[in-house]
């Protein structure tokens, strides 16, 4: 009896018109640590050389070009809070087929001088608009005081 072989699933590499397939990443995990927020993004067939991440104060763009699985991209234009761009980083775990993005939170005013000041937790990763803001704003206002005006737009 022949030994069964595992056949790797193949995703289409183009859209049918010869253009490379671009996959918008929708499934990922994230965790909120004391001073960092970490994202875990599964990308089949990922290689270090094919991943680029561009960080901004309020967001980031990740693009991972793979062989046989198209290009995977994740763009977050408005994070829950601003981040410290020079301290943000990413790493590629090729064996686990995963990209890990670390976002460094900004230190709150008085951090390090006042024992009562600590980094704030992020209840959500990003603002997506709509009712999410309406639900978050009263809670944030009560807990943290006045909001910056850019969060109300």
């Amino acid at each position: 009896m022949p030994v069964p072989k595992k056949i790797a699933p193949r995703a289409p590499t183009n859209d049918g018109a010869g253009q490379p397939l671009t996959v918008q990443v929708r499934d990922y995990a994230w965790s909120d640590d004391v001073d960092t927020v970490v994202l875990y993004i599964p990308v089949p067939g990922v290689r270090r050389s094919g991943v680029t991440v561009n960080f901004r104060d309020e967001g980031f763009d990740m693009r991972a070009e793979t062989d046989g699985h198209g290009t995977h991209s994740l763009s977050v234009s408005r994070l829950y809070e601003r981040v410290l761009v020079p301290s943000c980083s990413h790493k590629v775990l090729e064996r686990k087929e995963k990209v890990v993005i670390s976002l460094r939170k900004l230190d709150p005013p008085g951090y390090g001088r006042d024992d009562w000041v600590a980094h704030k937790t992020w209840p959500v990763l990003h603002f997506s608009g709509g009712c999410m803001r309406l639900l978050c704003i009263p809670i944030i206002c009560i807990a943290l005081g006045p909001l910056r005006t850019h969060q109300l737009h």
Side-chain angles (χ1 to χ4, degrees):
M1 176 172 231
V3 178
K5 287 195 280 184
K6 184 176 180 181
I7 300 174
R10 295 200 115 217
T13 57
N14 62 49
D15 64 1
Q19 297 297 320
L21 179 70
T22 300
V23 178
Q24 298 297 324
V25 174
R26 302 210 186 280
D27 296 325
Y28 57 87
W30 66 282
S31 66
D32 182 14
D33 198 359
V34 173
D35 58 355
T36 58
V37 173
V38 182
L39 287 88
Y40 306 91
I41 307 162
V43 180
V46 69
R47 298 286 173 248
R48 279 184 189 87
S49 60
V51 177
T52 57
V53 182
N54 296 314
F55 297 102
R56 299 180 306 281
D57 288 344
E58 294 185 347
F60 67 90
D61 298 306
M62 188 269 315
R63 185 174 177 86
E65 295 179 8
T66 65
D67 295 330
H69 297 280
T71 300
H72 294 254
S73 68
L74 175 63
S75 180
V76 176
S77 59
R78 189 157 177 217
L79 292 165
Y80 179 72
E81 280 291 327
R82 297 172 74 104
V83 295
L84 187 61
V85 174
S87 297
C88 294
S89 63
H90 77 280
K91 62 183 171 182
V92 177
L93 306 176
E94 291 182 1
R95 285 187 172 183
K96 294 184 178 184
E97 297 188 324
K98 193 177 293 184
V99 176
V100 180
I101 296 176
S102 298
L103 304 170
R104 175 66 163 82
K105 297 177 186 178
L106 285 175
D107 291 335
Y111 184 75
R113 296 185 311 271
D114 186 344
D115 291 339
W116 293 98
V117 176
H119 285 96
K120 121 173 114 168
T121 58
W122 288 21
V124 294
L125 179 63
H126 60 89
F127 284 113
S128 57
C131 64
M132 175 61 105
R133 284 192 211 151
L134 297 176
L135 294 173
C136 290
I137 286 177
I139 295 168
I140 294 169
C141 289
I142 291 169
L144 304 172
L147 290 173
R148 293 192 305 256
T149 56
H150 80 273
Q151 291 179 334
L152 299 174
H153 295 284

